[in-house]
Structures are given as C-alpha cells and as structure tokens.
C-alpha cells in the first residue's frame, strides 16, 4: 500500500501482519508488524534480516494450497478482530485478486467486517442487508457477487435505486 493509505487507516494497537512482500513496506516505514507470514520469495535478504529477532515469522513451503495473503488472513481471523483491512492485495495477478475477494466472503460469514483497499478502491462484501456510508472516494459502485441481490436500494446518491435486482 502507499504510506498515505496505511497511515490513514492505521490506529495504535492494530494487529499488523505482513504477507511476504508486505514486509518490504513495513521495512521501508520502519514499522515492526506483529507477524510476518509467507514463503518470502518476494523480499530482499536485507528485509528478512531486519525483522529476524524482532517479530514472529511464519515461513511456508512454496508448494501449498493457499496464498500468503490467505495465511495472513487466517492469522488475523485468529485474533478475534472486529475488522480486517487487506492492503496491497489488488496488484497485477487477477487470480490472486479473485482469491482475495473470496476472503471478504469468509470474513463476512464469520461476522467480521473486511475490506480490500488500495489508493483508489475500498471493496466490501455484504451478505445481508446493511448500510454503507461514504468514507472513501467520490464514486461508489455495486456488483452482485455469486447471486442476484434482490430488493437492492441506494439512497442519498445522484442515481438512487429502490427494490432493484442487482445481477
């Protein structure tokens, strides 16, 4: 993530997890996360040396049936959070992006509000009726994820909807 985005949402006491290359961000910012997770094929030796002895490091094999981001997400879920922010997860690999979207569903099913964010997007998945208040950006859009959304309503926007079926 950008430094600005991180500091915009970070609050003292937040539990910080770096997944693989995310360690580079924390190294550059001189921030010690609570845990590093991953295979660590995407970080420099200097970065790994910086964190050794300063934080918990969970190293996984390259061949596994989960991504490093998923490992970080599951670690976060184990901390009994109210919210999880996934930063630096929209990158260039569409397969990873789709997988990260599914993490939002897993969090929502567990009753944890989850966001996938970058400097231009804040993505949230709702599995039940809810209210979203604008706190990010000038535009808002909605997509059905997995099934049609019946009775979809938007109020207080330039283009309101009432009782729409969002496919």
């Amino acid at each position: 993530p950008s430094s600005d985005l991180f500091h915009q949402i970070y609050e003292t006491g937040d539990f910080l997890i770096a997944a693989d290359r995310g360690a580079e961000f924390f190294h550059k910012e001189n921030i010690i996360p609570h845990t590093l997770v991953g295979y660590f094929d995407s970080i420099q030796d200097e970065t790994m040396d910086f964190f050794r002895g300063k934080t918990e490091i969970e190293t996984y094999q390259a061949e596994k049936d989960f991504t490093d981001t998923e490992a970080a997400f599951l670690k976060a879920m184990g901390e009994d959070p109210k919210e999880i922010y996934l930063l630096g997860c929209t990158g260039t690999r569409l397969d990873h992006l789709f997988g990260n979207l599914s993490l939002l569903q897993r969090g929502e099913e567990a009753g944890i509000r989850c966001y996938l964010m970058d400097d231009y997007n804040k993505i949230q998945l709702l599995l039940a009726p809810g209210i979203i208040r604008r706190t990010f950006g000038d535009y808002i859009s909605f997509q059905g994820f997995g099934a049609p959304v019946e009775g979809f309503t938007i109020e207080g926007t330039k283009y309101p909807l009432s009782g729409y079926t969002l496919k």
Side-chain angles (χ1 to χ4, degrees), residues 124-126 141-147 149 152 166-167:
Q124 177 184 5
L125 179 69
L126 296 178
S141 65
F142 298 91
Q143 303 293 323
F145 187 74
V149 178
F152 184 71
L166 180 66
K167 296 179 182 177

Side-chain angles (χ1 to χ4, degrees), residues 62-93:
E63 294 179 6
K64 56 192 183 305
D65 63 354
F66 54 89
T67 65
D68 294 334
T69 302
E70 184 178 4
F73 180 81
L74 293 174
K75 180 80 171 172
M77 293 277 285
E79 295 297 318
D80 195 30
K82 291 183 174 72
E83 294 180 317
I84 296 175
Y85 286 84
L86 299 169
L87 306 178
C89 298
T90 55
T92 58
R93 291 203 42 194

Side-chain angles (χ1 to χ4, degrees), residues 74-154:
L74 293 174
K75 180 80 171 172
M77 293 277 285
E79 295 297 318
D80 195 30
K82 291 183 174 72
E83 294 180 317
I84 296 175
Y85 286 84
L86 299 169
L87 306 178
C89 298
T90 55
T92 58
R93 291 203 42 194
L94 290 179
D95 58 333
H96 282 203
L97 175 60
F98 289 132
N100 293 338
L101 288 171
S102 74
L103 296 177
L104 298 181
Q105 182 173 357
R106 290 168 68 178
E108 182 71 16
E109 288 171 347
I112 300 167
R113 185 153 293 172
C114 297
Y115 305 96
L116 183 61
M117 278 184 82
D118 62 24
D119 286 319
Y120 306 99
N121 303 283
K122 182 177 184 181
I123 302 168
Q124 177 184 5
L125 179 69
L126 296 178
L127 297 178
I131 296 173
I132 298 174
R133 300 201 189 284
R134 186 181 89 117
T135 59
F136 184 85
D138 293 327
Y139 300 97
I140 188 166
S141 65
F142 298 91
Q143 303 293 323
F145 187 74
V149 178
E150 304 289 338
F152 184 71
T153 300
I154 303 174

